[in-house]
Amino acid sequence: MTALAHLKGIIFDMDGTLVDSGLDFAAMRSEMGLKAGIPILEQLVELPQDERRHKEEILHRHEMAGADRASLIDGADRLLEALAREGRPMAIVTRNSTPTTEHTLKRLGIGHYFDIVICREDGPHKPDPWAIEEICRRWRMEVDEVVMVGDYLLDLLSAQNAGCPSVLFTEGKPPEDVEGADIATHIATHFDQLYQLLAPVEDSI
């Protein structure tokens, strides 16, 4: 068995982990007149309703453009196919909107892999542990029986807050250059390493 092959369920972040939509968050903040270095959703919630609605329209435009050009990160399809053959349930937890997420998954033909997809409209979003806890409730699993796989600090914080193991996927970047690497349970710089962490040892990528 590989390091995490004993776990019953796998929860993925979407953008930056399975999918590359090329979103330029600095450009998005600039167009919306938001501060640099602070997540967009956390800034939007503090705004008056009319102003927030206008900026959400800008956000939606950027996200849908990203969904239109999104591509699978190299190796994601092989990993999802292997895990599906193994039969462990998989879920997505994303801070993206439901329309953006549905469009992305449909375009790329990977939506059928996931038992549950939780987007930002569904409840408290990462780093809140709610989504992980809700998935465990639906799967009838304990939180330490699942793993959260993501590319960003908020993914790792949500896992830490829920009490489940996490995998930081860096897509080739040195781990020391990725914020939150110090709190990840495991680190994978490429999909072959992620495969080795998650998939049965007898399988080969």
Side-chain angles (χ1 to χ4, degrees):
M1 300 260 298
T2 51
L4 297 173
H6 65 289
L7 294 176
K8 294 181 179 180
I10 303 169
I11 304 171
F12 289 98
D13 170 55
M14 186 179 71
D15 199 15
T17 302
L18 297 172
V19 170
D20 181 5
S21 61
L23 291 175
D24 185 337
F25 291 99
M28 293 161 67
R29 289 190 189 93
S30 177
E31 184 175 348
M32 287 186 273
L34 300 178
K35 297 176 182 176
I38 303 174
I40 289 171
L41 299 183
E42 279 71 8
Q43 295 193 64
L44 292 180
V45 75
E46 300 294 332
L47 299 176
Q49 184 175 354
D50 288 345
E51 184 179 357
R52 182 173 70 248
R53 186 180 300 113
H54 172 65
K55 295 184 190 305
E56 285 173 342
E57 291 171 356
I58 297 172
L59 176 60
H60 178 72
R61 171 165 47 80
H62 278 272
E63 286 186 327
M64 289 303 290
D68 284 335
R69 65 174 174 261
S71 60
L72 281 175
I73 292 174
D74 186 42
D77 52 347
R78 297 193 298 273
L79 176 62
L80 293 174
E81 288 169 8
L83 294 173
R85 287 195 304 269
E86 191 188 7
R88 277 184 290 174
M90 292 181 278
I92 281 180
V93 174
T94 177
R95 285 163 58 101
N96 286 13
S97 70
T98 298
T100 300
T101 301
E102 290 178 346
H103 183 50
T104 301
L105 296 178
K106 183 176 181 180
R107 244 193 90 247
L108 298 177
I110 60 172
H112 64 284
Y113 287 119
F114 305 103
D115 295 355
I116 302 169
V117 177
I118 292 182
C119 305
R120 66 170 174 256
E121 298 92 342
D122 296 322
H125 45 71
K126 298 177 289 188
D128 194 284
W130 173 82
I132 294 175
E133 294 167 349
E134 174 63 12
I135 289 168
C136 290
R137 183 188 68 79
R138 296 190 204 177
W139 281 346
R140 298 183 180 180
M141 297 179 188
E142 300 298 324
V143 290
D144 60 0
E145 294 179 314
V146 306
V147 60
M148 177 74 213
V149 182
D151 70 313
Y152 188 54
L153 173 64
L154 297 180
D155 304 308
L156 307 174
L157 286 173
S158 67
Q160 184 180 71
N161 292 336
C164 75
S166 61
V167 178
L168 170 64
F169 174 62
T170 73
E171 198 185 355
K173 296 186 289 291
E176 59 270 20
D177 292 345
V178 181
E179 186 179 8
D182 57 318
I183 65 170
T185 313
H186 300 272
I187 296 174
T189 57
H190 299 283
F191 256 100
D192 57 348
Q193 293 177 342
L194 188 55
Y195 189 102
Q196 291 162 13
L197 281 170
L198 296 173
V201 68
E202 60 269 21
D203 282 354
S204 173
I205 198 165

